[in-house]
Amino acid sequence: MADGSEKRPALPLSEATVAALPESVLRPTYDRRALRPGIVHIGVGNFHRGHQAWYLHRLMQEGLAQDWAIIGAGVRPGDAVMRDKLLAQDCLTTLIELDPSGTSAEVVGSMIDFLPVEHDNAALIGAMALPDIRIVALTVTEGGYYIDAASGGLDLTHPDIAHDIAHPGAPITAFGAMVGALSQRMAAGHAPFTSQSCDNLQGNGDILRDVIVSLARATDPDLADWLTAHATFPNSMVDCIVPATGPSEIALAAQFGIADAAPVTHENFRQWVIEDAFCAGRPDWDKAGAIFTDRVHDYEAMKIRILNAGHQVLANAGELLGLPTIADCMSHRLIRAFFRKVQMEEIAPYVSDVPGFTPSAYVDLIEARFSNPEIRDTTRRVAFDGSSRHTGFVLPILRDALAAGGTVEGLSLVEALWARMCEGTRQDGSGIAANDPHWDTLVPAAEAARIDPGAWLAQSQYYQDLADVPTFSTSFEKWLRVIWADGVDAALTRYLDKGA
């Protein structure tokens, strides 16, 4: 941390004060008043500001990408809170890198505006329809794409999507707004923008294409055909651990002399792997360390299976034992050993090498990153939305293992721990607050599974035919009974000792 910076009075972050910040704090060297917008980003959370916005900021620091500045946007009422915070500080964000070897701060200025958050998304549609906007990017979470679990396509019956189909001029979803703007661009003779998903979904660009084109086809088949012919939806893999912001993060920014209402803390690792498919141009993100490749799928499979699925290996056991952070989970002898064994025996065998990493080497990297005690990534945050994260991250690996005739004992235990966590109490009897969009249905299923474990697997929207595969269902039922009868530690110990 900067020498003596903790003694300085914290300056409210703004364009007017940024030059007066302590010398140790990096800040924009470019003229933000001269920046021109080229990107609208929907979903301005911590991850976007600590990842994609940082890559663009680094280009701007080199005098590049001056016409690619970001306009922030949101479609949920809660996004208005972030808008108010960021506009009050001229859309500047303090990034604080947390590393055991030292902590540093940098002010990022690549975002220059934040659109009003409106029920009909009129301002958002209007901005995206402008020809200067060449990329519309999203971070709306893995569960935010309205995917029908049975078909794998857009759920046209979801009330939000049904509303957008019935009211295309006043949509309530990000996707409806994008379709509305693309319709205006087509009518005006402008080219489409590139639609870029930055969420942790394997094939995220392909998923976004299906959502946008399917929604367009439901209202205007000619628009859908135009998009199919001319629009692009690049796949990408994004990676950086970015904890939620709370009072301690705000206080940490103040120690650097910065009064920031929404600072972002992050680890000292970032990776962005992108398919080079941009129909309207793009920034040279590779000059800031991003990787353009036609092997995005291999990179994202490694990351999603080892890191994202690995988070689910840890989080439910940690939540049940009352461990506050992922680093605390990694400090727990049994959970760390459980993580290692499941990774090496049941996840890494179904991951391909990528340039620079074998699966086993990537497991080592993730183990070190998860163990960083400076990253206060809460167990609760990682366990959130298990209904999306287990179905998206864990169950595909389990299916591959079953198809290959491999062991699924550890992954079955992971699912049993999730079922036990969704009952809503920790092992010490304390309550677990609602932590999933489908909590109201998960809790009764988890309660019923205490007596009949099959009641959990009967949730076909998650498990589909897996409930009828004895190799998995028998193992799952065994582990859930052990957890309820003897506790988490006993189940982990039994798995580590015998695997059965």
Side-chain angles (χ1 to χ4, degrees):
M1 190 171 294
D3 292 341
S5 63
E6 67 275 10
K7 298 178 181 179
R8 293 173 177 262
L11 292 174
L13 183 60
S14 72
E15 188 68 33
T17 62
V18 69
L21 294 176
E23 292 183 1
S24 63
V25 177
L26 299 177
R27 78 289 308 274
T29 58
Y30 46 90
D31 182 0
R32 296 182 71 235
R33 296 168 299 179
L35 298 179
R36 301 185 306 281
I39 300 172
V40 168
H41 191 97
I42 304 171
V44 185
N46 282 13
F47 184 79
H48 165 68
R49 292 182 295 135
H51 192 268
Q52 296 96 7
W54 176 87
Y55 279 93
L56 188 58
H57 164 75
R58 281 304 172 99
L59 288 182
M60 292 174 171
Q61 293 285 67
E62 299 299 320
L64 305 172
Q66 306 291 297
D67 61 340
W68 285 103
I70 298 166
I71 297 176
V75 298
R76 303 172 303 174
D79 293 323
V81 176
M82 181 63 76
R83 178 178 188 265
D84 290 344
K85 290 178 179 179
L86 292 182
L87 286 180
Q89 53 195 51
D90 297 322
C91 293
L92 294 165
T93 290
T94 307
L95 300 186
I96 303 172
E97 182 179 289
L98 302 176
D99 187 73
S101 65
T103 304
S104 60
E106 178 174 13
V107 174
V108 169
S110 53
M111 180 181 293
I112 60 173
D113 199 3
F114 202 129
L115 297 169
V117 180
E118 303 166 324
H119 184 70
D120 63 358
N121 288 304
L124 174 56
I125 293 171
M128 293 188 295
L130 296 173
D132 286 348
I133 297 303
R134 287 149 287 162
I135 295 174
V136 172
L138 306 95
T139 42
V140 295
T141 77
E142 300 86 25
Y145 285 74
Y146 298 96
I147 301 302
D148 179 69
S151 70
L154 177 65
D155 182 2
L156 295 172
T157 67
H158 191 284
D160 293 349
I161 298 299
H163 174 279
D164 286 3
I165 293 172
H167 307 281
I172 59 175
T173 73
F175 312 109
M178 292 169 70
V179 169
L182 287 163
S183 178
Q184 290 187 19
R185 292 173 79 112
M186 183 180 72
H190 302 317
F193 49 70
T194 296
S195 300
Q196 184 180 27
S197 171
C198 299
D199 282 302
N200 283 315
L201 292 165
Q202 193 156 348
N204 56 10
D206 296 334
I207 291 170
L208 181 56
R209 175 190 293 109
D210 184 67
V211 169
I212 295 295
V213 174
S214 296
L215 186 53
R217 195 165 297 283
T219 57
D220 184 349
D222 289 341
L223 175 61
D225 291 342
W226 182 72
L227 293 173
T228 300
H230 301 291
T232 54
F233 302 80
N235 290 301
S236 66
M237 186 277 282
V238 294
D239 190 9
C240 184
I241 296 174
V242 180
T245 294
S248 61
E249 286 73 26
I250 292 172
L252 183 57
Q255 291 181 27
F256 282 97
I258 309 170
D260 187 332
V264 174
T265 58
H266 62 92
E267 63 174 333
N268 64 340
F269 178 92
R270 286 183 183 87
Q271 192 174 35
W272 196 8
V273 182
I274 314 167
E275 180 185 10
D276 199 357
F278 291 79
C279 61
R282 60 164 175 81
D284 294 327
W285 284 307
D286 50 319
K287 294 181 179 178
I291 299 169
F292 287 103
T293 178
D294 58 2
R295 292 190 59 193
V296 172
H297 177 77
D298 290 337
Y299 281 92
E300 67 186 1
M302 176 175 280
K303 186 260 180 173
I304 284 174
R305 293 193 166 204
I306 294 176
L307 187 150
N308 295 102
H311 262 157
Q312 301 313 302
V313 173
L314 297 170
N316 298 292
E319 184 68 278
L320 287 168
L321 294 178
L323 301 175
T325 71
I326 292 301
D328 292 328
C329 292
M330 293 300 290
S331 294
H332 189 282
R333 179 181 63 84
L334 293 175
I335 294 179
R336 188 184 187 105
F338 173 55
F339 175 85
R340 182 78 184 182
K341 183 176 175 68
V342 173
Q343 288 280 5
M344 298 305 292
E345 296 181 4
E346 301 185 30
I347 296 179
Y350 310 103
V351 175
S352 300
D353 291 2
V354 300
F357 278 111
T358 63
S360 60
Y362 194 73
V363 171
D364 293 341
L365 171 67
I366 298 306
E367 206 168 41
R369 290 170 62 193
F370 284 0
S371 300
N372 182 351
E374 300 300 320
I375 297 292
R376 300 290 297 174
D377 199 12
T378 66
T379 306
R380 177 175 173 80
R381 186 199 73 82
V382 173
F384 174 73
D385 198 11
S387 58
S388 291
R389 294 178 175 183
H390 281 258
T391 53
F393 303 150
V394 180
L395 297 185
I397 308 169
L398 194 149
R399 289 181 180 278
D400 284 354
L402 289 170
T407 178
V408 295
E409 285 292 326
L411 293 173
S412 299
L413 178 50
V414 170
E415 293 306 294
L417 289 163
W418 180 41
R420 170 63 183 86
M421 192 274 289
C422 287
E423 185 269 345
T425 60
R426 296 184 183 85
Q427 192 164 276
D428 63 5
S430 60
I432 298 173
N435 201 25
D436 193 286
H438 302 288
W439 193 252
D440 289 345
T441 59
L442 290 169
V443 171
E447 291 172 340
R450 181 172 186 173
I451 305 300
D452 174 19
W456 181 260
L457 300 183
Q459 299 178 102
S460 59
Q461 67 270 41
Y462 310 128
Y463 292 100
Q464 301 175 347
D465 60 337
L466 285 173
D468 301 319
V469 180
T471 304
F472 167 61
S473 61
T474 300
S475 180
F476 169 85
E477 293 182 13
K478 172 190 67 183
W479 288 123
L480 187 56
R481 292 188 189 281
V482 170
I483 294 167
W484 274 115
D486 303 317
V488 174
D489 284 4
L492 296 177
T493 298
R494 179 170 168 180
Y495 167 73
L496 293 167
D497 287 350
K498 303 178 181 178

